[in-house]
Amino acid sequence: MALYRYVKAVKLRPVKRSFFVSFVLMGAGGLLVLWVAWPIISFSIFSEGFLSKTVSPVSDVRAQTKSPQVFSPVAFAADAGGGVDYTNPNVWFPTSPQKKVVAPVNSYTISIPSLRIKNAQVQIGGDDLSKSLIHYGGTSLPGEFGNTVIFGHSSLPQLFNPNNYKTIFSELPSIKIGDTFTILYDGITYAYTVSDLVVVDPTDLSVLEQKFDDSYVTLVTCVPPGTYWKRLNVRARLKRV
């Protein structure tokens, strides 16, 4: 009687690891795209009706220029910057360049509690948004009658850091009418209340218009988040004590 016998081995089907690797990579890529695109798409979905119906207390110039347009998600990648250095505010309005400002100080600070921004530096007539916020030269100074225009850089909200001037205005679209912020200028603190949010084309110069019945501040950044396609103007009025 034989002590051993040979049995034909069952041929195992090779595991197609490449399929699983490809599936995982595709899934990761899809999640990455969604992570980047969601803030842009949600900006359009949740902000369109609200932002398109607001009325500006600063200027009626929109009746004479292009009407504000709200971002369309179909074209969210239409503008990748075009090689323009948007950290330099002088390229934002090439037809209306900054003017030299003679002021007792050349900078001041702004604090926006709802955005967790505290004592951010604002350079008057500056040219580098990666180092500070910029007070657009030629617009009124804080506390004066007229419109103070302050530019700030933004990026994807996921990258928001209130201490990083490259991302400092990334959450500006989340500010609400009625929110307040303060400006400390030349030793005096001025409080402003947000009254209006408007999305306009990059060529719309209404933000620079001056109305001298009161003291206003307009905060400006690019929207949708992570693009340069439109501009968000957040307008506020001096809070009287």
Side-chain angles (χ1 to χ4, degrees):
M1 185 176 187
L3 297 177
Y4 303 98
R5 66 174 178 161
Y6 294 95
V7 178
K8 188 176 180 180
V10 178
K11 188 176 182 181
L12 298 177
R13 301 178 66 182
V15 178
K16 296 182 178 180
R17 295 185 179 180
S18 59
F19 171 80
F20 293 105
V21 172
S22 299
F23 182 80
V24 171
L25 291 177
M26 288 175 61
L31 290 175
L32 181 61
V33 171
L34 181 62
W35 183 80
V36 173
W38 173 245
I40 302 172
I41 297 172
S42 64
F43 176 87
S44 176
I45 295 174
F46 297 117
S47 301
E48 180 170 359
F50 172 71
L51 294 176
S52 63
K53 294 178 182 177
T54 53
V55 179
S56 169
V58 176
S59 174
D60 293 326
V61 73
R62 277 183 289 165
Q64 307 165 14
T65 58
K66 268 190 168 183
S67 299
Q69 299 179 26
V70 178
F71 170 73
S72 168
V74 177
F76 77 90
D79 184 0
V84 178
D85 181 12
Y86 282 99
T87 61
N88 185 346
N90 295 307
V91 306
W92 288 41
F93 298 126
T95 61
S96 186
Q98 294 193 78
K99 299 176 182 177
K100 289 186 177 181
V101 179
V102 178
V105 295
N106 59 14
S107 67
Y108 53 90
T109 62
I110 184 172
S111 297
I112 310 175
S114 61
L115 303 184
R116 293 173 288 156
I117 296 174
K118 185 176 181 180
N119 297 326
Q121 288 292 320
V122 183
Q123 188 74 26
I124 299 176
D127 59 6
D128 192 347
L129 287 167
S130 68
K131 295 181 179 179
S132 70
L133 299 172
I134 301 297
H135 173 126
Y136 205 73
T139 63
S140 296
L141 297 171
E144 292 182 349
F145 286 95
N147 181 30
T148 301
V149 180
I150 300 174
F151 284 79
H153 211 281
S154 64
S155 65
L156 291 174
Q158 300 95 318
L159 305 177
F160 171 67
N161 179 349
N163 299 313
N164 185 341
Y165 289 104
K166 290 184 178 180
T167 69
I168 192 168
F169 271 0
S170 296
E171 292 192 353
L172 188 60
S174 69
I175 202 168
K176 296 178 175 58
I177 290 177
D179 284 355
T180 61
F181 60 85
T182 58
I183 288 178
L184 177 59
Y185 173 78
D186 197 22
I188 301 175
T189 299
Y190 300 95
Y192 291 84
T193 302
V194 175
S195 56
D196 190 19
L197 291 83
V198 177
V199 173
V200 300
D201 288 326
T203 54
D204 190 329
L205 300 180
S206 62
V207 67
L208 302 179
E209 291 291 312
Q210 298 295 306
K211 185 177 180 181
F212 297 103
D213 66 325
D214 208 340
S215 178
Y216 301 94
V217 168
T218 303
L219 309 177
V220 184
T221 197
C222 294
V223 289
T227 76
Y228 300 100
W229 206 60
K230 297 286 184 179
R231 302 288 181 265
L232 172 63
N233 297 340
V234 175
R235 293 163 176 167
R237 192 169 190 162
L238 183 65
K239 186 177 181 180
R240 300 296 179 181
V241 179

